[in-house]
């Protein structure tokens, strides 16, 4: 979005920001928040603090830097209000919470949480930070609504390094599935309506994660690897205190008589007649079609079977060399296979939201190194993304059906509270029409084309 397009949206953006201003504390922080969100939406070569200050009239680099890296305002409270806003507009009891992570390439070793680690967005191991995100997806739309910064375990062995990066003393190492489960539990505590959780094999292979979802009484459709182990019939247990069949020592642990098998081996027994073609979603070039089959199995979690049987889904592409994917679900058999395929297929929307958050809202363009700065920048980027999502809907720019959880109905969205009309006296921070000078960092990326989604 360029400055001209942003000016056209002055009334809508002003009303949107007003809802969140009380959460930024002191009055001077209100103007900083306005400027920063406007700067993120206005685009430019690179949306760091320096360029935002140059783009938006009245912005002072040092003041904005302090607002982001040291400001005394709660990012968590702001995100909670964002989720409440999302529920008001997109709320649906059949919604899906999608968990996924994205990488932020970095140089050096001082940025909080940076390490040589795998990032799916880059498709390789590289020096980067990794954030775990939650995307709310319903038949009415979708948007990112929470995030956690993953801190590698090696960081916690170096307390001075943690202190220098501003990591709270109370913070402890948490895996990506544990971070994701925290966010899902928080959403449940806030009464965010959702029925489903979807994610890749990082989450489907975590006993802690799936057990946490079951305790919340949520259904899931999660990827698993071909090495995930299952029983195809109800497992039988070896009696405690009995010797083994070979005369070994009496067992004191619960063990099964039969060993579980890898799902890659189990599916060989699926008959050809068990496969059915399922339209996962409507893509931009037509229906996204796969072949699916399913089995009832007991998954192995820490060497013990799940308390109840689950559904092992096998998805096969229609290529000449078919690609297989494996998924697990605890949804009851009364839920149609097509519905499970749709829930798994809606994971495309988190990729779309990552692309929009980075490409149009500067999610990855921060230059702050510390804990507070990362959390402040990302919450402001998610606010900018939410505003952008609302405007696309208001202007009739519907997203592809390939990125919906299900159904073709899309409710009309509005960014304006009922009690607030256009006659209200809004105060928008003015924006510079030209840039005084280009940041030395702007050459790192080619200039961005102004998105057409918000053009009138």
């Amino acid at each position: 979005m360029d400055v001209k397009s942003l000016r056209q949206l002055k009334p809508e953006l002003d009303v949107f920001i007003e809802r969140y201003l009380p959460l930024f504390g002191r009055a001077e922080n209100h103007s900083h928040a306005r400027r920063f969100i406007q700067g993120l939406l206005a685009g430019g070569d690179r949306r760091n603090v320096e360029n935002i200050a140059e783009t938006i009239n009245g912005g002072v680099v040092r003041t904005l830097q302090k607002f982001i890296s040291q400001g005394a305002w709660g990012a968590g409270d702001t995100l909670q209000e964002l989720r409440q806003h999302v529920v008001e507009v997109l709320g649906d009891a059949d919604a899906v919470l999608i968990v996924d992570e994205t990488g932020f390439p970095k140089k050096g070793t001082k940025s909080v949480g940076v390490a040589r680690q795998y990032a799916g967005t880059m498709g390789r191991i590289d020096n980067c930070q990794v954030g775990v995100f939650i995307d709310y997806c319903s038949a009415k739309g979708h948007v990112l609504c929470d995030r956690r910064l993953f801190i590698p375990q090696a960081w916690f062995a170096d307390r001075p390094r943690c202190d220098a990066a501003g990591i709270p003393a109370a913070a402890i190492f948490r895996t990506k599935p544990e971070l994701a489960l925290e966010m899902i539990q928080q959403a449940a505590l806030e009464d965010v309506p959702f029925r489903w959780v979807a994610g890749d094999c990082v989450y489907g292979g975590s006993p802690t994660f799936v057990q946490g979802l079951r305790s919340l009484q949520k259904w899931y459709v999660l990827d698993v690897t071909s090495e995930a182990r299952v029983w195809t019939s109800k497992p039988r247990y070896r009696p405690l205190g009995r010797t083994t069949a070979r005369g070994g020592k009496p067992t004191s642990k619960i063990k099964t008589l039969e060993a579980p098998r890898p799902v890659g081996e189990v599916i060989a027994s699926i008959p050809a007649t068990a496969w059915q073609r399922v339209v996962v979603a409507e893509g931009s070039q037509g229906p996204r079609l796969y072949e699916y089959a399913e089995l009832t199995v007991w998954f192995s979690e820490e060497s013990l079977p799940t308390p109840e049987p689950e559904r092992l889904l096998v998805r096969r592409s229609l290529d000449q060399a078919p690609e297989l994917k494996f998924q697990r679900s605890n949804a009851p058999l009364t839920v149609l296979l097509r519905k499970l395929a749709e829930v798994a297929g809606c994971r495309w929307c988190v990729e779309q939201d990552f692309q929009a958050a980075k490409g149009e809202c500067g999610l990855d363009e921060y230059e702050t190194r510390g804990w507070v700065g990362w959390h402040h920048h990302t919450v402001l980027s998610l606010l900018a993304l939410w505003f952008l999502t609302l405007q696309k809907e208001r202007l009739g720019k519907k997203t592809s059906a390939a990125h919906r959880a299900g159904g073709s109905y899309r409710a009309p969205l509005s960014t304006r509270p009922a009690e607030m009309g256009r006659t209200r006296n809004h105060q928008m921070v003015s924006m510079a029409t030209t840039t005084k000078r280009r940041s030395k960092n702007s050459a790192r990326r080619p200039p961005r084309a102004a998105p057409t989604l918000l053009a009138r």
Side-chain angles (χ1 to χ4, degrees), residues 251-443:
T251 179
S252 60
K253 294 183 180 179
I254 299 177
K255 292 184 178 180
T256 58
L257 290 174
E258 302 88 10
R261 294 188 293 157
V263 297
E265 175 186 320
V266 166
I267 66 164
S269 62
I270 297 177
T273 55
W275 295 90
Q276 56 180 295
R277 292 195 174 185
V278 178
V279 176
V280 173
E282 293 294 331
S284 58
Q285 299 181 0
R288 288 169 44 212
L289 189 65
Y290 292 94
E291 289 183 327
Y292 266 90
E294 69 170 304
L295 294 171
T296 299
V297 300
W298 286 256
F299 277 87
S300 177
E301 294 177 357
E302 299 173 327
S303 300
L304 291 177
T306 49
E308 300 294 334
E310 293 192 11
R311 300 165 72 172
L312 169 63
L313 312 179
V314 187
R315 193 189 78 181
R316 185 168 67 185
S317 66
L318 301 182
D319 304 325
Q320 287 186 345
E323 178 187 7
L324 295 178
K325 276 192 172 293
F326 309 98
Q327 296 157 350
R328 64 184 297 182
S329 178
N330 64 333
L333 294 175
T334 53
V335 178
L336 297 179
L337 175 61
R338 177 178 179 179
K339 177 62 178 180
L340 303 184
E342 288 176 353
V343 170
C346 79
R347 281 173 46 202
W348 284 93
C349 73
V350 72
E351 299 298 335
Q352 185 187 40
D353 287 335
F354 279 148
Q355 183 179 3
K358 291 183 176 183
E360 301 179 62
C361 304
L363 179 66
D364 59 341
E365 297 184 25
Y366 55 90
E367 293 182 347
T368 180
R369 291 177 173 175
W371 173 274
V372 172
W374 188 89
H375 288 83
H376 280 177
H377 180 95
T378 51
V379 72
L380 292 169
S381 293
L382 295 192
L383 283 177
L385 176 65
W386 177 225
F387 174 76
L388 191 67
T389 301
L390 292 171
Q391 297 314 303
K392 288 177 181 178
E393 293 291 341
R394 188 180 64 85
L395 298 175
K397 306 295 183 180
K398 296 182 179 180
T399 55
S400 166
H403 305 108
R404 300 185 206 163
S408 59
Y409 170 76
R410 297 176 68 81
L413 307 187
S414 172
T415 63
R416 187 177 306 280
E419 68 275 11
M420 302 178 74
R422 286 187 176 271
T423 58
R424 181 167 180 151
N425 181 22
H426 303 298
Q427 293 183 352
M428 174 70 95
V429 178
S430 61
M431 292 165 280
T433 56
T434 59
T435 303
K436 298 177 184 177
R437 60 187 178 88
R438 177 172 293 187
S439 166
K440 63 181 179 180
N441 296 316
S442 63

Side-chain angles (χ1 to χ4, degrees), residues 121-132:
T121 48
M122 295 180 281
R124 64 180 186 275
I125 295 175
D126 206 340
N127 198 61
C128 63
Q129 296 166 301
V130 172
V132 182

Side-chain angles (χ1 to χ4, degrees), residues 77-95:
D77 294 338
T78 308
L79 273 178
Q80 184 173 351
E81 183 64 24
L82 167 63
R83 287 189 290 274
Q84 179 58 42
H85 198 175
V86 169
V87 169
E88 292 170 10
V89 179
L90 305 181
D92 186 342
D94 200 45

Side-chain angles (χ1 to χ4, degrees), residues 27-178:
E28 55 265 35
N29 283 348
H30 296 188
S31 60
H32 300 332
R34 288 182 186 274
R35 287 189 177 94
F36 208 88
I37 293 174
Q38 289 174 51
L40 290 172
L41 290 167
D45 291 338
R46 186 171 177 84
R47 279 159 287 198
N48 54 26
V49 170
E50 185 175 356
N51 287 349
I52 287 175
E54 292 173 351
T55 301
I56 309 300
N57 281 339
V60 179
V61 175
R62 288 187 178 180
T63 304
L64 284 179
Q65 285 176 336
K66 187 175 181 180
F67 171 71
I68 292 297
S69 62
Q70 304 174 33
W73 55 276
D77 294 338
T78 308
L79 273 178
Q80 184 173 351
E81 183 64 24
L82 167 63
R83 287 189 290 274
Q84 179 58 42
H85 198 175
V86 169
V87 169
E88 292 170 10
V89 179
L90 305 181
D92 186 342
D94 200 45
V96 185
L97 287 189
I98 308 166
V99 296
D100 203 356
E101 64 266 4
T102 189
F104 304 89
K106 291 292 170 183
K107 295 181 179 179
T109 61
K110 294 185 178 180
S111 295
V112 59
V114 72
R116 286 195 59 79
Q117 54 191 322
Y118 179 79
T121 48
M122 295 180 281
R124 64 180 186 275
I125 295 175
D126 206 340
N127 198 61
C128 63
Q129 296 166 301
V130 172
V132 182
F133 287 74
I134 294 289
D135 198 273
Y136 188 85
C137 182
S138 76
K140 305 171 187 178
H142 53 84
V143 73
L144 297 169
C145 66
D146 204 353
R147 83 284 175 265
R148 294 285 191 278
L149 178 63
F150 173 70
I151 306 294
Q153 193 166 12
W155 270 74
F156 292 98
D158 188 348
R159 192 61 238 180
R161 187 186 189 194
C162 291
D163 293 339
I167 298 176
I172 61 174
F173 172 71
R174 286 182 172 84
T175 65
K176 295 171 187 175
E178 287 172 340

Side-chain angles (χ1 to χ4, degrees), residues 203-225:
Y203 307 95
S206 168
T208 299
F209 186 74
V210 293
Q211 290 166 14
L213 297 184
R214 292 199 295 265
S215 70
L216 293 172
Q217 298 183 333
K218 300 299 180 182
W219 297 341
Y220 48 77
V221 182
L222 302 166
D223 286 359
V224 294
T225 70

